[in-house]
Amino acid sequence: MMIGNRRALLAICTLISTMALIIVVIKGGLKTDIGGVRVEKEKKDSEQRQKRAEAESLEYEDKRELFAFDPNTADSTALLRLGLRRWQVASIYKYRSRGGTYRKPSDFARLYGLTVHDYRRLEPYIRIAPEYSLPASSLFSKDSEKGKSIHTNSYQSKDSVYRGLNRESKKLHSGEFVDLNEADTSLLKRVPGIGSYYARRIIEYRRRLGGYASIKQLDEIDGFPQDAKNYIRIGKKLNNKLNINKMTLSQLRSHPYFNYYQAKAIVDYRRSYGPLKSLQDLNACPDFTDADLQRISPYVEF
C-alpha cells in the first residue's frame, strides 16, 4: 500500500514538473516571438518615417520657385517661395534691421545655412538695385561750366534714359523718362497717370515676368493708363532667362506666360524626346499658339 502511494506521488510530481517545464518553454518562445515582432514593427516604422521625410523633401523642392529678387527688399513671402527656410528668412530680416545691405550677389552667399547648391540655383536671379550698390557720391556730377552740382538719378543709364531726374520733383515733364526694368515705386509714381496702385502693380508684374521685354506688356495690367507709356522706356535688357529644360512643372507655372497645360507639355516633351533645342520643338504642340511662342521667346533659353 505504501509503495503504491509513493509511486502515485512520484508520478504526480513528475507530471507537475513536466507541465511546468512545458509552460516555461512556451513562455520563452512567446517572449522571443513578441520581441521579434516588436523589432520588425520598429524597423517598418523607421522605413515609413524615412519615406515620408524623402517625400516631404521632394515636395518641398518641387514647390520652390525661381524669379528675380532683391535680397535687400524681398519680403518673407517671396523669400519662402524661393525655397529658403523660415529661420533663414528671419536671419535676413535681422541682418537688414541692423543696417546690413547686400551690395553684390556674392554677399548673399554669406547667408547662414545656404548651401553651394542653393546659392548657385538662386544667384542668376539676384538683382541688386543700384541704390544699394552705388556710392552716394554717384548722385551728384559736377557741372564744369557753371561750377554747380547737378542732382542726377542713381538709375541713370548711358543713353540718358532718365534725363536728369530727381526724386524731389513731382510729375515728369515731356522728354523725361523712367526705365521700366529699373525704376522703383517712387520713380514710377512720378509718371503722369501712375499712382501708388499702378506703381505696385508694375513692380509686382515685373518680378513675376523676370523683367519687361516690351512696353506693350503694360497692357497686360488691367486698366493701365495708355498716356503713361509716353514717359516710359526700356533701357536695361533682360539677362535672367529661364532654362526650360531644367525647370520643374511648378516652376514653369509660376511664370505668367505658362499655364498648367503648357508647363505639362514641356515636361512631357522632355520626358519623351529629351531636352528642347528651340521653341520650334513646340510648334506641333496644340497647347502653344504662334502668339504664345512669340511672347515667351524673350524669356527662355536652352
Side-chain angles (χ1 to χ4, degrees), residues 36-94:
V37 171
R38 184 182 294 112
V39 171
E40 186 66 23
K41 185 176 182 302
E42 291 177 353
K43 182 179 180 181
K44 289 182 178 179
D45 290 343
S46 177
E47 292 176 352
Q48 290 177 354
R49 285 194 298 270
Q50 184 176 357
K51 288 180 179 179
R52 282 197 299 269
E54 292 175 354
E56 291 175 356
S57 177
L58 291 174
E59 183 181 3
Y60 168 77
E61 291 184 0
D62 189 56
K63 287 182 178 179
R64 294 183 303 182
E65 302 177 26
L66 289 173
F67 49 82
F69 73 101
D70 187 338
N72 291 300
T73 57
D75 59 20
S76 58
T77 302
L79 293 171
L80 290 171
R81 287 173 55 202
L82 288 165
L84 296 177
R85 304 293 183 179
R86 292 188 180 277
W87 53 269
Q88 290 177 314
V89 174
S91 178
I92 292 173
Y93 269 66
K94 185 176 181 180

Side-chain angles (χ1 to χ4, degrees), residues 258-300:
F258 293 102
N259 60 36
Y260 171 80
Y261 300 101
Q262 291 171 333
K264 187 175 185 300
I266 291 174
V267 174
D268 290 343
Y269 182 96
R270 294 188 329 222
R271 185 181 299 113
S272 301
Y273 306 106
L276 286 87
K277 296 179 176 62
S278 70
L279 287 178
Q280 294 180 355
D281 294 337
L282 298 174
N283 282 334
C285 179
D287 296 301
F288 288 93
T289 65
D290 291 339
D292 290 333
L293 295 177
Q294 184 177 0
R295 185 169 66 162
I296 66 176
S297 62
Y299 294 95
V300 300

Side-chain angles (χ1 to χ4, degrees), residues 69-75 79 92-93 95-97 99-105 107-108 126-133:
F69 73 101
D70 187 338
N72 291 300
T73 57
D75 59 20
L79 293 171
I92 292 173
Y93 269 66
Y95 175 71
R96 295 193 316 210
S97 68
T101 58
Y102 299 95
R103 301 183 183 278
K104 53 186 181 298
D107 290 344
F108 193 67
I126 298 175
R127 300 290 179 270
I128 308 295
E131 62 189 56
Y132 294 104
S133 60

Side-chain angles (χ1 to χ4, degrees), residues 180 183-191 193-206 212 221 224-225:
L180 189 56
D184 58 12
T185 54
S186 63
L187 280 175
L188 288 170
K189 285 191 292 185
R190 295 193 53 219
V191 174
I194 294 181
S196 297
Y197 173 77
Y198 281 115
R200 290 195 300 269
R201 292 290 303 275
I202 291 171
I203 297 294
E204 173 61 19
Y205 199 46
R206 183 175 71 191
Y212 290 98
I221 300 176
F224 187 82

